[in-house]
């Protein structure tokens, strides 16, 4: 199992509102994606950034998602700086 974290820097209160609206319903939209396990949107206490946390059954499942049309549609028009990190779940 792996976790992918994307850190998205927030440029304004409006940007934060846009992110929260854009990610609402993600668990429902992703439910039928092979290998998808869980999603969370985490907001820094100071409001400076968000962490998009997605859990996948395997690296192969994550790679298949990033190569899919569903991924391209979900990420079209994204704004803000994002930095991704991938972690292997060990416990």
């Amino acid at each position: 199992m792996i976790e992918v974290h994307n850190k998205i820097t927030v440029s304004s209160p409006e940007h934060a509102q846009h992110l929260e609206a854009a990610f609402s319903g993600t668990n429902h939209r992703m439910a039928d994606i092979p290998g998808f396990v869980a999603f969370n949107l985490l907001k820094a206490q100071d409001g400076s950034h968000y962490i998009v946390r997605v859990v996948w059954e395997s690296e192969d499942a994550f790679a298949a998602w990033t190569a899919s049309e569903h991924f391209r549609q979900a990420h079209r028009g994204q704004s803000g700086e994002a930095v991704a990190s991938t972690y292997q779940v060990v416990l």
Side-chain angles (χ1 to χ4, degrees), residues 64-86:
W65 153 245
T66 61
S68 72
E69 179 62 26
H70 194 265
F71 176 88
R72 284 187 287 284
Q73 288 180 10
H75 291 84
R76 72 181 181 280
Q78 72 181 24
S79 61
E81 179 184 333
V83 177
S85 300
T86 304

Side-chain angles (χ1 to χ4, degrees), residues 25-70:
T26 295
N27 273 311
H28 176 72
R29 288 191 301 272
M30 297 284 291
D32 293 332
I33 303 297
F36 171 77
V37 175
F39 164 86
N40 297 101
L41 181 63
L42 310 173
K43 183 178 181 178
Q45 288 187 337
D46 67 3
S48 65
H49 66 278
Y50 287 81
I51 299 292
V52 177
R53 175 189 170 264
V54 185
V55 181
W56 294 93
E57 289 177 358
S58 67
E59 284 189 57
D60 289 342
F62 173 63
W65 153 245
T66 61
S68 72
E69 179 62 26
H70 194 265

